[in-house]
Amino acid sequence: MKEKGLDLVITGLLRRLARMQQLLIVSRILNETLDLNTLLRYIIETATDLTQTEASSILLVDQKTGQLRFAASTNIKRSDLKDLPVPLEDSIAGWILTSGKAMIIGDVQRYPRFYEGVDQHTMFHTRSLLGVPLEVRGRKVGVLEVLNKVKGKFTASDE
């Protein structure tokens, strides 16, 4: 019985080590890559993998309109999102950006700030969401979202 418990602990530690290694790679790429699209693509692919989710996206603040716009996404065609703004008011991403706080929502359909416009436009069905604000040098620039945890629920470790 003790061996089984030890095996679970070792498995958990190995999983955490693999996550840390991926985060170190992202940090290195952040410091080395000058191409924004390459960087954003790598971040969302890593976020999707680390959190074991169906999709992820990065929304950046449009300096002209003040709205959020999709800069990168996985499993949703970029062309479907190109001209689709997300309002700061009445959206989860807008709340995450303005509050500067991460948010985990297990059932977005029941959440009052869920902006259905994206799902309707892309035909993607968002069930659950984890979102974190993105800051550069203390300035809020956007939001990273991961959508639809494949197994189980989002955890603090995912965040």
Side-chain angles (χ1 to χ4, degrees):
M1 195 66 141
K2 287 184 181 181
E3 266 185 48
K4 187 175 183 181
L6 184 60
D7 287 345
L8 289 173
V9 169
I10 291 171
T11 301
L13 289 172
L14 289 173
R15 209 175 291 130
R16 289 185 72 194
L17 177 62
R19 282 181 158 198
M20 292 299 174
Q21 287 174 323
Q22 284 184 294
L23 291 173
L24 285 172
I25 292 169
V26 169
S27 295
R28 190 187 81 236
I29 289 173
L30 277 169
N31 290 318
E32 295 174 358
T33 303
L34 296 176
D35 180 51
L36 181 61
N37 289 329
T38 300
L39 176 62
L40 295 179
R41 184 99 207 131
Y42 189 79
I43 290 171
I44 58 173
E45 287 173 359
T46 301
T48 302
D49 185 46
L50 285 174
T51 58
Q52 299 175 358
T53 51
E54 290 179 10
S56 65
S57 61
I58 291 179
L59 297 98
L60 298 177
V61 177
D62 183 328
Q63 296 303 316
K64 294 177 185 172
T65 66
Q67 293 178 313
L68 289 166
R69 297 215 177 255
F70 288 92
S73 62
T74 61
N75 296 340
I76 301 171
K77 292 180 187 174
R78 173 120 162 88
S79 60
D80 288 347
L81 299 171
K82 186 179 177 193
D83 296 319
L84 184 63
V86 174
L88 289 182
E89 294 182 8
D90 299 323
S91 74
I92 295 168
W95 185 90
I96 292 168
L97 179 76
T98 56
S99 72
K101 297 178 182 176
M103 180 179 269
I104 294 175
I105 302 173
D107 183 358
V108 298
Q109 302 298 323
R110 293 182 179 200
Y111 195 78
R113 284 194 176 108
F114 177 59
Y115 177 66
E116 295 177 5
V118 176
D119 278 15
Q120 290 170 353
H121 186 79
T122 62
M123 304 304 283
F124 183 85
H125 180 69
T126 304
R127 295 183 310 278
S128 60
L129 177 146
L130 178 142
V132 295
L134 298 174
E135 290 188 16
V136 174
R137 296 183 186 107
R139 188 176 60 121
K140 298 173 187 173
V141 297
V143 176
L144 168 64
E145 295 179 332
V146 288
L147 310 170
N148 300 345
K149 183 87 170 167
V150 174
K151 293 181 183 175
K153 297 179 179 184
F154 286 112
T155 66
S157 176
D158 293 323
E159 186 180 322

